[in-house]
Amino acid sequence: MEHVPALDEDLKKTLGPATAKVLAEQLGLHTALDLLHHYPRRYAERGELTSLAELADQIDEHVTVVAQVADARILTFNGGRGKRLEVTITDGSGRLQLVFFGAGVHKPHKDLLPGSRAMFAGKVSKFNHRLQLAHPAYEPLGGDASDRDAATAFAHQLIPIYPACAKLESWKIAKCLDAVLPSAQEAVDPLPPALREGRGLVPLTEALLKIHRPGTKADIEDARQRLKWDEAFVLQVALARRRHADAQLPAVPRRPLPGGLLDSFDAKLPFTLTQGQQTVSKEIFDDLATEHPMHRLLQGEVGSGKTLVALRAMLAVVDSGGQAAMLAPTEVLAQQHHRSVTEMMGELAEGGMLGGSDQGTKVVLLTGSMGMPARRQALLDLVTGEAGIVIGTHALIEDKVQFHDLGLVVVDEQHRFGVEQRDALRSKGKQPPHLLVMTATPIPRTVAMTVFGDLETSVLDQLPAGRSPIATHVVPSKDKPHFLSRAWERVREEVEKGHQAYVVCPRIGDGEDEPKKKKAAEEDGDRRPPLAVLEIAEQLTRGPLAGLSVEVLHGRMDPADKDDVMRRFAAGEVKVLVATTVIEVGVNVPNSTVMVIMDADRFGVSQLHQLRGRVGRGSAPGLCLLVSEMHEASPARARLAAVAATLDGFELSRIDLEQRREGDVLGQAQSGVRSSLRMLAVIEDEEVIAQAREEATRVVAEDPALEHLPGLKTALDALLDTEREQYLEKG
């Protein structure tokens, strides 16, 4: 009887060590189960000619195409000593050149006759401005005697095209799958039978067979629908269990004191809260009053007043006798928050000091670059409880930092922190503190449900009264150089009106980033290196902005210098700040009205939106100019046009995600593991994710330990290997 590999069996046993090594090293596939979940990227039909027109976007990628040979000719060079075979293939929509060299020309010259059809696999490259595949592997789909087996095999089938690599073409992966497909019978079904039947989904074994060896397009659809549900449901169960576990933890309820610090603060606010701020504050205060830790994500458009909402939550905790800590990703941002919080609080931030309010508390800053005496004093204020609020960077996490009674942790720009960092801060509470996570990066609903699924979500989408609209325009500097000259004139005009400007560049240009510059230039082919802060600042000072006070700001400056520049910019002494994305979050200078982003095409959509939010923060209208040399018809320019067309961050984050073809929403970069989402697309499959979340919440409420659902528990254990478990904890 034929050997059926066990699902967790190493592929060496089934496929041999050489093939197994390539699958493991190149594609991260180690077991039969891994291979079963390596789904086809698409399917070619016998007789169908796959579009070659799409290849222009896939330079340096390994592709598989099905096409017909148009012509083939052998050329000689080096006085007849060298031979080159050039084969042109076509699919009706486009043509592509294949090249073979040296002794390797004879077999393909014999196999690839004009009119014959084959599958070709190779790396797309560009030579003399033409796309080509050099030495591609190929599998004839012919009808002569030697190819009859292949022809019969492919005759009436949909041909799966797998994500492949240089050493293992798609059709070889298909042959590997033939060896492990019988073991699909052993696959443990994670979906509870009632759910599967209620949703009309096919069993898992059937789905695996249909995705790899479909008879019809309907088979593919059945399989996809089922496999999407698996991914969405198992992930949502993991998140639902975390929410359930968090709800069992004890926490100290924190309620504001009538007539206390929060009331005094509200009484001195020179404006009324927006409806959105009031609603979100109520959600937060309701959470803080419970005996279980709050876990809430606060999403807010740039300038929607998140910091104010977070500050009111911190004051409520101080009222109840606790302390609040705000964790910021950079020193510039921590100092900015400290400045704006102490300004908003006035004498209430000087508790225990001469001239301070009786009801006040101390607000301390803690960063890595502080001098020893100031640092010692800050640590003392925290351990004695003298300081009710601390704002800091990673320095807050160090062992020597002790709190009197930590009641609330506010994490700003959550995506910049690792699991260990957040947990280290939370572990400083006598009981688990409440947690408020803030982000100014708008997240589509499904992504919030998937990435931040263990947090309740509040959204601030209303801008406070008095905020000005921001006009955004694309400046095509190569096609229309006079537009760039006009941009610098606009900067001058704004400065002459008493306002200030930002100029943002993708690179510092201080020598340390030279290797990066070189690498970027190589990757971009003909493109020049990204523009640099130090070079542009010098050009502007000598040229279009001569006579204005221009300063630079970037991440490798000494912290004291950075703070000095920011302070002078905030005070209006510096008129033009040439900076990297260090100003992306939290920097608040209401007098800044114009921002010029150089090489804007080198930034992501959401990042451009973040940067743009630094202007128009006062009563004067904002202007954002996106400078790009990219051609009008390029995808990069389409992206910039999308940013110019809307100020809706949620709409832009959808566009961003669709264009980036989202990676693993569990954070491939953060967790270092292969994508757990192979079939699910978080934007397109919004309905599946929302339904899976409901089902998961219900299942976990009935059976938190999943004792009655062994298949689901097995699938969950496979998903939550240590690294993913940690990433989920990032919340």
Side-chain angles (χ1 to χ4, degrees), residues 400-721:
K400 56 172 98 62
V401 180
Q402 303 283 313
F403 288 86
H404 177 65
D405 179 14
L406 182 60
L408 170 67
V409 173
V410 178
V411 180
D412 192 23
E413 289 306 323
Q414 156 71 17
H415 61 280
R416 303 210 177 182
F417 288 100
V419 188
E420 302 81 8
Q421 295 162 329
R422 196 200 72 185
D423 283 354
L425 185 51
R426 285 179 66 194
S427 67
K428 291 180 182 291
K430 293 185 175 73
Q431 282 194 321
H434 299 280
L435 175 72
L436 180 66
V437 166
M438 300 198 298
T439 178
T441 308
I443 304 164
R445 175 171 161 261
T446 45
V447 183
M449 280 194 293
T450 313
V451 182
F452 296 106
D454 59 336
L455 299 171
E456 299 302 325
T457 306
S458 296
V459 178
L460 273 178
D461 49 10
Q462 216 181 343
L463 290 186
R467 280 301 296 266
S468 307
I470 305 168
T472 308
H473 303 286
V474 178
V475 177
S477 56
K478 205 168 195 172
D479 309 346
K480 300 178 179 171
H482 61 287
F483 275 36
L484 183 57
S485 308
R486 178 71 190 117
W488 300 128
E489 283 170 21
R490 284 291 291 115
V491 170
R492 245 186 201 290
E493 286 163 15
E494 287 299 308
V495 172
E496 279 160 13
K497 284 183 200 165
H499 298 306
Q500 289 159 277
Y502 295 102
V503 178
V504 180
C505 302
R507 197 167 62 83
I508 298 171
D510 61 354
E512 280 192 45
D513 58 0
E514 288 304 305
K516 282 188 202 158
K517 168 173 116 177
K518 196 160 175 280
K519 185 170 184 289
E522 282 165 9
E523 285 170 1
D524 287 348
D526 303 336
R527 288 185 77 184
R528 58 156 174 73
L531 293 171
V533 166
L534 301 177
E535 292 157 17
I536 292 294
E538 193 178 336
Q539 286 170 24
L540 293 176
T541 314
R542 289 182 178 173
L545 303 185
L548 302 183
S549 60
V550 177
E551 295 256 5
V552 300
L553 182 72
H554 59 76
R556 279 206 286 270
M557 284 166 65
D558 180 84
D561 294 343
K562 269 193 285 196
D563 195 39
D564 178 55
V565 171
M566 265 323 296
R567 192 184 47 69
R568 288 187 295 114
F569 186 62
E573 294 164 28
V574 174
K575 298 302 179 191
V576 180
L577 190 62
V578 184
T580 55
T581 53
V582 71
I583 60 150
E584 181 186 349
V585 286
V587 174
N588 183 25
V589 180
N591 192 40
S592 304
T593 54
V594 60
M595 175 178 284
V596 182
I597 304 179
M598 308 302 291
D599 281 345
D601 49 90
R602 295 182 189 259
F603 298 95
V605 169
S606 293
Q607 196 173 28
L608 289 170
H609 181 62
Q610 287 287 304
L611 287 165
R612 165 171 69 181
R614 300 297 115 215
V615 296
R617 297 174 78 88
S619 51
L623 173 66
C624 179
L625 302 173
L626 306 173
V627 179
S628 172
E629 290 187 353
M630 297 304 276
H631 189 269
E632 194 170 0
S634 65
R637 278 284 292 277
R639 222 170 53 227
L640 298 183
V643 176
T646 180
L647 290 171
D648 181 342
F650 288 92
E651 176 56 29
L652 287 173
S653 67
R654 275 187 91 92
I655 293 168
D656 197 16
L657 209 63
E658 282 163 2
Q659 289 185 337
R660 279 187 295 127
R661 304 187 182 133
E662 84 263 353
D664 182 7
V665 295
L666 275 187
Q668 202 167 348
Q670 289 92 333
S671 68
V673 282
R674 281 187 76 254
S675 170
S676 62
L677 300 190
R678 297 171 178 86
M679 195 58 81
L680 196 70
V682 290
I683 289 288
E684 290 162 33
D685 299 318
E686 183 161 346
E687 208 172 301
V688 173
I689 292 169
Q691 291 170 359
R693 182 178 166 106
E694 273 174 40
E695 293 276 12
T697 306
R698 185 181 55 72
V699 163
V700 170
E702 288 169 10
D703 181 8
L706 307 179
E707 286 169 9
H708 307 295
L709 297 167
L712 176 56
K713 195 161 185 342
T714 304
L716 202 61
D717 292 342
L719 172 77
L720 297 182
D721 53 39

Side-chain angles (χ1 to χ4, degrees), residues 327-332 334-335 365-376 378-379 391-398 400-401 558-560 562:
L327 186 58
T330 64
E331 295 213 353
V332 167
Q335 287 157 344
L365 176 69
L366 190 64
T367 66
S369 66
M370 281 169 72
M372 215 48 217
R375 191 181 173 78
R376 240 185 243 116
L379 292 173
I391 296 166
T393 54
H394 301 80
L396 280 176
I397 294 162
E398 291 170 10
K400 56 172 98 62
V401 180
D558 180 84
K562 269 193 285 196

